[in-house]
Structure formats: C-alpha cells, structure tokens
Amino acid sequence: MAAWFTFTIAFSTTLILQVFGSGVFEVDLHEFKNHKGLLANGNACTPSCRTYFKICLKNYQAVVSPGDCIFGSRETPVLGTNSFSAKDSGTLPRPIQIPFKFGWPGSFSLIIEAWHSPYGNLPVDINNPDFMISFFAIQRQLGVGTDWSQDTQTEKQTELRYSYRFICNESYYGESCSKKCTPRDDRFGHYTCTRDGQLSCLPGWKGKYCEEPICLEGCSERNGNCSKPGECVCREGWQGTFCDECRKYPACKHGTCQLPWQCNCQEGWGGLLCDQDLNFCTHHHPCLNGATCMNTGQGSYTCTCLPGFTGVNCELEMQVCDSNPCRNGGICTNLETGYRCTCLQGFEGSHCEHNLLTCADSPCFHGGKCWEKDNGRSYMCECPSSYTGLNCEKRVDKCTSLPCANGGLCLLQGGMRMCSCRAGFTGQRCEININECAGNPCLNGGTCQDRINDYACICPAGYGGRNCDRILDECFVRPCLNGGICTTGSGPGKTPAACTCPPGYTGPLCESFATFTSPVTGDDGFQWVAVSLAMGLVALLVLLCMVGFALRHIHRQAQGQGAETETMNNLSKVQSDNLIPASQLKNTNQKLSLEVDCDSEKSNFIHKNYHLDSYNSKTKDFKDEKSQEDKSLIYDKSLEDKMPLSRMYSEKPECRISTICSSRDSMYQSVFVIAEERRECVIATEV
C-alpha cells in the first residue's frame, strides 16, 4: 500500500512538472565499460557488478561538487553487469528526461554516478559509498535544440559514452523556452506557431491574433464584409458578387442607379419609375422586312413597308398568286422564285391557257404519226428518224453523237458530221495535239517543249531567243583556250568578246603558240632568257670560227703575192702591198672581170665583181649587183680557181686584175683605168 502511494505521488509530481515546465533535459546512455568488474574502492563485485546510474542536473559550477540537484535528478534501474550497452538492456525507456519548470539558463553541470546493486535489480542502501563504481561530472554551455551533443567520460577502469540535449515543451518557444504559443482555431484566433514562437495565421485569416477573416478578393471594403474567409456579404442597398452594384428603387423598370434606391431613366424612357416608352421604334423594332418605323408618340408607331410587303408591321408578303395568274380554274401555288399553276383536266400551259390537244388536232409535225392515250384525252407522236420532241418539232442534232475534243466545233456538211479543230489540234475528233517540235526549231542544243499551237525552247547556257539562235554570252559559247581570260562589254552596243592570252599563246581563242614573245617575268621568263643566251653563245662561237678561217686564208694569200708588189706613184706602204705589177697586167680589149681578193676588215671596197667594157669605152658604171649569197659563192670560187697571172695571160688573152685594197683609214682610194688603144691594163691611183 505504501509503495503504491509512493508511486502515485511520484507520478503526480512528474506530471505536474511536465505540465508547468518549460522544457526537458534529456540524457541518452549509449555504452558503459567495466571489464574488470571492480568498484571505485578497488574491490571486485561478487559475482559481477550489477550496474545502475544516478543522474544529477544542477546549475553551472566551475568545479562541480556533489550537492543538491537544483535542476532535477533521476535514477535508473539495473541496466547490466560490468560492461554493457544501455540500448540493449531494454529496462529503461530512452532517453532519460529531467523536466524543467522555468526558463533554460543556457549552461549546466551534470553528474553521472555508476553504482553496484548487490541484492538484485533494485537499488538498496544507495548512500553506501562502498557500492559506487564510477563518478563522472561535466559543465557545459548548451542551447535549445533537437540536436544531440555527444560525450565520453573515462575514469580509472571505466568508460561511459552518452549524449544529451535540451528541448522545449509543446507550446514553448525561444532560446530559453520561455515564450509560450498555443496554436488555436476558434473564435479567439486562427493561427499556428513558428519555430521562434510567433503567430502564423491560418489561410484566410488576418489581424494581431488572426481573428479577422479575409473576404473574397475584389469584395468592396466599403459596401461588403464577411464573417469567414472567402465571403462577400453586401450591406443594405448594394448587390453583386463584389458588392459594387447599387440597388435600384424596387418599382423602377427602365432605369439605373449610381447610389442605392435611385431610378435614373434610360434613353427613350420617362416617368417617375421609367415605365413610359418615349421611343417605341428604338426599343421594340416592330417593323419587319426592312420597313421604316416612325414614332407617333404615347407609345404608338407606324411602319412604311417595302414593295411586296403589307400588314401593320409589314409582316405579310404579297404573293404572286394574289393576282390569280392561273386561268381556266387552275390552282396557283406560290414558290420561292415565283409560282406554279396546276391545271384542270383538258388544259395546259404555264397559266393553263391552252386546251389539251388530241390526235384530231394533228399535233405531230414533219410527218410524225399520232397515237391516242388515256382514252383520247392525250396523245403521243412517233417522229421520223431525223426529228424529235413532243410534237416532232425538233431536228435531231447529229453532232451530239460526235463530241469534238479540245474545243473543236462540230459542223454538218452535206449530211456528214465533221469537227472543225482549233489551231494546234488535228484528228477526226480534234484529239491529236500537233507536235510543233517535230521540225526541231530549237538551235544550238536547245530542248523543245511542245505546247498548244506553239512551242518553247529551253536554251543551254549562253544562248537565248525564241529558237536559242541568239548568243547571250560569247565567253561561255566560245571559251578561251590554254587559260585565256575572256572579256566582253555590257549594255547596248557592247563590244564583242575578246581573249586575253597568257604568255606563249596567241590567236583569237589563244589556240596557237606564239613565235615571238615579249619579255616575261617569273619562272617562264627565266627559261626563255636561258634558251636565248645559249643560242647566242653558239652563234658567237660559229662566227669566231669563220673569222679565224678567213684570216688564215688571207694570210696565206698575202705571203704568195708579197714579192710581186711595188710602189706606185705616191701610195702608202699599205696601199703598195695591194698593187699588182704592171708587167703582169694585159689588156685584151675585151670584157674584163675584176676579181676581189680583199679582206672585208681591211678594205673599204665592197666585195663585188665588175666587168670592164671594150677598150673604146673610157669608163663604165658598175652594174649587175648581186645578192650577198652570190657574193659569197663568187668569193669562194675565186679562191679555188685562182692561179698566177703569168699563166693566166699565156693561156687566156684576158686581163685579170686583182682588186686593189687599201686600209679603211688611208687617204687614198684605188681605182682602175683601161687604155683605149693598148692591149694592157693600166692601174692608176687617185690622190
């Protein structure tokens, strides 16, 4: 009984502390190690240490000392023996809680003692220090929060791992859990609490304590209100979804209002209640079918109808049958586009104006045969082959059986049907399109496309015109060869195309190699210069050889004639070397030939052969001038056939005179004279 009473008191005290407390200090024991099973005094537990803990929470102390547990204390049952993990024991709800009944100071001192219970799982004689196993004490700064602070304490042969934290009770907030906020949703407020204890209004509520509802968005604050969120309750005299429309006077018919209970008449209405119509035509539009309405006052009107309509509001359409167009008792029926007469028996026609014909009236034309029907009340005509119609009044059109294609016209000529075709078509029924491309009208490779009575040419590049006979681009049609560049003028009267040929080519299209080329630059110019230089060197070498050969020949001639020369008149030494002794000259009074044996470099005499006339002529002009090629041949022949003058004189009665040669710088010029009556050659020198 006493135990039950003690438990009740303890439970009630805990409940009261939790109700009035501001927060809870929580300790979570993880693991305790005592491998040797020793007590704090060094004695061993028998048989092993049955361990439980005492927890004391007090104010912050620089040096923690045992004493009153000001903030609270707790004692656990036996959790295990020697070393164990508290979470595996299952004997203690986790974590251990020490409730607070005042604000959390932010710092604390914590004492955890490990004790041995020698008599079972319940602690006995808790104040006997011989049963203490370990003593752990810490002091810390700790803020309010849900995060755990880990710690490990070691003393001699034992070790304890645990964690701790301080959390606020429900409805308490702030750094010290001293601010109270209880969420509510009743007439005194509609809110929840934030993490820092501030009020957070529920959706649709506002105000200091969230007691004012938020009305429908757009609701007039002056003309409407609400008692719960989303409402818009209009005040008296206002209406509408947002309470922004005034209420008219209850009996107002055609009026409006700017303020409640007004009746402002609309246009065309009058009276205190706006119930008098001042413009009936505008408000009611009574006239129909395009009629014109005119107000006559006091709510009356008149309608002016368009032709074909009648009635007060022009609502009646005047029908054609109203004039009784059908004759002989015919029944008239109005249609959308006119009327129709239904004739009585024995009459016909659009207005029933004709009596029905019978075979007695001979209704069949062109020899048609009449047959009676309906007991003589009607008839039928059997027409000849060339006529048709109800009374055989229409000639049969033979062209209906021969339709002409492609717009051809059917004609009847001598009873024969034929088609007159449009231009560009042929055939019995004009079904054949004449191919205008058959004559190949497109020139220069153009492609012909046949059309109706026409054709079109698709010209290749560079050609134009209807038949591709006009050159549009001469450069494209006749391109330059061998890399030539084609240029042409533009516009009216443009110049013809011309090719600008690269070096080494010529011709209108650069198709020929050039015989002579102007100096060029670059690699081609260097090649031409090299070839020209080589040819020049070869020519110079040949010329030197020819000069050497001629000098050698002259030298030998001079040695053979040196002894036979003598001085004449006052000739120079150089001239005397070129004279021939008079004893060797002989005049035969015949045509003489002068043989030139002078070196061109030493003589101012031109190498030519001159013939002397007979002795009765004093002097004759030079004639029969030959070409340079003839000179060379004569010169060579004279060298080969040359012989001594004495021999020549004895064998041939002819005076052969060697040319007298003088130096170019000599002041004397050699001449020859033939005596008139002597048979010998006389040579004189002109000073």
Side-chain angles (χ1 to χ4, degrees):
M1 186 67 180
W4 175 255
F5 178 77
T6 302
F7 175 78
T8 302
I9 296 298
F11 179 79
S12 301
T13 303
T14 301
L15 182 61
I16 292 173
L17 288 176
Q18 289 181 350
V19 170
F20 294 99
S22 62
V24 177
F25 185 88
E26 295 183 338
V27 178
D28 190 6
L29 302 177
H30 299 305
E31 185 178 11
F32 180 73
K33 294 181 180 179
N34 184 10
H35 298 295
K36 296 181 179 181
L38 300 178
L39 298 173
N41 55 15
N43 297 328
C45 299
T46 303
S48 60
C49 296
R50 290 186 290 271
T51 307
Y52 66 95
F53 296 91
K54 295 179 181 180
I55 300 173
C56 176
L57 183 65
K58 56 194 306 184
N59 59 304
Y60 182 87
Q61 294 177 332
V63 178
V64 181
S65 62
D68 294 337
C69 299
I70 299 175
F71 293 165
S73 63
R74 281 290 180 271
E75 184 177 307
T76 69
V78 175
L79 300 180
T81 59
N82 295 338
S83 298
F84 59 89
S85 176
K87 65 180 181 179
D88 297 333
S89 63
T91 58
L92 179 66
R94 297 181 62 198
I96 302 171
Q97 296 181 337
I98 301 177
F100 251 67
K101 56 184 177 180
F102 43 82
W104 173 248
S107 60
F108 67 96
S109 295
L110 178 65
I111 300 175
I112 301 177
E113 298 176 350
W115 290 80
H116 168 57
S117 176
Y119 306 110
N121 293 333
L122 295 177
V124 178
D125 196 5
I126 60 176
N127 293 323
N128 187 350
D130 293 337
F131 296 126
M132 180 180 290
I133 300 175
S134 299
F135 177 86
F136 306 101
I138 62 170
Q139 66 273 47
R140 298 284 189 274
Q141 300 287 335
L142 180 64
V144 176
T146 58
D147 295 335
W148 291 89
S149 297
Q150 306 292 330
D151 200 354
T152 300
Q153 295 293 324
T154 303
E155 183 179 338
K156 295 182 181 179
Q157 73 275 7
T158 61
E159 179 182 331
L160 176 64
R161 286 194 313 104
Y162 63 98
S163 59
Y164 55 89
R165 68 179 179 180
F166 187 88
I167 59 176
C168 296
N169 284 335
E170 186 178 2
S171 302
Y172 284 89
Y173 301 89
E175 294 181 357
S176 61
C177 298
S178 58
K179 187 172 185 178
K180 187 173 182 180
C181 177
T182 303
R184 66 190 315 161
D185 186 12
D186 53 24
R187 56 182 297 186
F188 298 104
H190 307 271
Y191 57 86
T192 58
C193 300
T194 62
R195 297 184 60 183
D196 57 356
Q198 300 295 329
L199 301 184
S200 176
C201 295
L202 296 175
W205 296 94
K206 64 180 180 177
K208 184 177 180 180
Y209 297 102
C210 306
E211 75 282 1
E212 300 177 16
I214 299 175
C215 298
L216 178 66
E217 184 178 1
C219 183
S220 174
E221 295 182 359
R222 186 179 64 177
N223 304 326
N225 53 40
C226 59
S227 58
K228 59 181 180 180
E231 281 187 342
C232 188
V233 180
C234 298
R235 292 184 172 90
E236 189 67 23
W238 297 92
Q239 61 182 354
T241 304
F242 304 110
C243 301
D244 53 358
E245 301 175 8
C246 60
R247 289 183 179 273
K248 298 183 296 182
Y249 188 78
C252 184
K253 293 188 65 176
H254 301 284
T256 60
C257 65
Q258 299 296 328
L259 295 175
W261 319 124
Q262 288 182 344
C263 187
N264 302 324
C265 295
Q266 299 175 358
E267 183 180 359
W269 297 93
L272 183 63
L273 301 177
C274 303
D275 54 355
Q276 296 181 6
D277 194 350
L278 304 181
N279 192 350
F280 192 89
C281 290
T282 301
H283 298 145
H284 299 282
H285 302 287
C287 301
L288 306 175
N289 298 309
T292 301
C293 181
M294 297 180 62
N295 292 303
T296 57
Q298 303 300 322
S300 61
Y301 64 95
T302 57
C303 292
T304 302
C305 302
L306 293 176
F309 296 93
T310 187
V312 176
N313 297 325
C314 303
E315 74 279 6
L316 300 176
E317 183 178 1
M318 296 179 65
Q319 304 294 333
V320 180
C321 289
D322 294 342
S323 60
N324 297 319
C326 300
R327 301 179 185 180
N328 298 312
I331 301 174
C332 183
T333 304
N334 288 298
L335 303 175
E336 292 183 1
T337 58
Y339 65 95
R340 180 182 65 224
C341 290
T342 303
C343 302
L344 297 177
Q345 185 175 2
F347 297 93
E348 65 177 358
S350 58
H351 297 93
C352 303
E353 70 275 17
H354 300 299
N355 292 328
L356 285 176
L357 297 177
T358 62
C359 288
D361 298 321
S362 301
C364 299
F365 298 101
H366 300 106
K369 186 176 181 180
C370 182
W371 298 90
E372 292 185 350
K373 294 174 60 179
D374 299 332
N375 296 324
R377 291 193 298 268
S378 63
Y379 67 93
M380 180 183 68
C381 289
E382 182 180 350
C383 302
S385 58
S386 58
Y387 293 94
T388 185
L390 181 62
N391 297 314
C392 304
E393 73 279 8
K394 297 180 181 179
R395 182 183 294 273
V396 175
D397 186 6
K398 295 183 179 181
C399 285
T400 56
S401 61
L402 180 66
C404 299
N406 298 310
L409 180 63
C410 180
L411 300 177
L412 294 175
Q413 294 184 355
M416 296 295 292
R417 297 170 296 178
M418 61 180 299
C419 288
S420 177
C421 301
R422 288 171 51 201
F425 293 95
T426 186
Q428 183 180 1
R429 296 179 56 252
C430 306
E431 73 278 7
I432 301 174
N433 181 16
I434 299 175
N435 185 8
E436 284 77 13
C437 291
N440 297 323
C442 300
L443 305 177
N444 297 310
T447 301
C448 183
Q449 288 185 344
D450 183 35
R451 295 181 178 177
I452 298 176
N453 196 31
D454 196 6
Y455 65 91
C457 291
I458 301 177
C459 301
Y463 292 94
R466 173 172 174 80
N467 297 325
C468 304
D469 53 348
R470 184 161 51 90
I471 297 176
L472 300 180
D473 187 356
E474 294 186 31
C475 291
F476 187 87
V477 175
R478 290 189 290 273
C480 301
L481 304 177
N482 298 312
I485 299 175
C486 182
T487 57
T488 182
S490 61
K494 64 179 181 179
T495 60
C499 289
T500 302
C501 300
Y505 294 94
T506 185
L509 301 178
C510 305
E511 72 279 6
S512 303
F513 288 102
T515 304
F516 299 99
T517 58
S518 59
V520 294
T521 58
D523 296 339
D524 294 340
F526 176 77
Q527 294 176 1
W528 282 104
V529 169
V531 173
S532 301
L533 182 60
M535 293 177 65
L537 291 176
V538 173
L540 180 61
L541 183 60
V542 173
L543 181 61
L544 291 177
C545 292
M546 292 176 64
V547 170
F549 180 79
L551 290 177
R552 180 183 177 191
H553 181 75
I554 292 173
H555 179 69
R556 290 180 178 180
Q557 284 293 116
Q559 288 180 352
Q561 296 178 359
E564 299 176 355
T565 60
E566 64 180 23
T567 304
M568 293 181 64
N569 296 342
N570 52 354
L571 297 177
S572 65
K573 182 66 171 61
V574 177
Q575 290 176 316
S576 63
D577 292 339
N578 297 313
L579 293 179
I580 303 173
S583 60
Q584 297 181 3
L585 301 177
K586 203 68 173 179
N587 187 1
T588 59
N589 293 326
Q590 295 179 359
K591 192 173 185 179
L592 303 178
S593 62
L594 179 63
E595 183 178 64
V596 180
D597 193 15
C598 298
D599 187 11
S600 61
E601 295 181 357
K602 294 182 179 181
S603 174
N604 56 4
F605 192 87
I606 301 175
H607 290 197
K608 295 180 180 179
N609 286 334
Y610 296 94
H611 298 276
L612 303 178
D613 291 337
S614 60
Y615 68 95
N616 56 0
S617 298
K618 295 183 179 181
T619 57
K620 293 290 182 178
D621 295 332
F622 299 119
K623 55 185 177 180
D624 298 333
E625 189 171 335
K626 297 183 179 180
S627 64
Q628 187 67 28
E629 183 179 0
D630 295 337
K631 300 175 201 174
S632 300
L633 293 173
I634 294 173
Y635 174 73
D636 294 340
K637 189 175 187 301
S638 64
L639 291 178
E640 294 175 0
D641 299 337
K642 195 169 184 183
M643 60 182 61
L645 291 179
S646 58
R647 181 181 177 183
M648 293 171 59
Y649 176 76
S650 60
E651 293 179 358
K652 183 178 181 181
E654 180 180 358
C655 182
R656 267 189 184 273
I657 302 175
S658 296
T659 303
I660 300 173
C661 302
S662 63
S663 176
R664 291 184 183 272
D665 55 356
S666 174
M667 60 181 293
Y668 301 102
Q669 300 295 326
S670 299
V671 297
F672 61 89
V673 179
I674 306 300
E676 295 182 358
E677 296 179 355
R678 297 181 61 184
R679 296 179 54 87
E680 59 185 8
C681 296
V682 180
I683 297 176
T685 301
E686 182 183 8
V687 180

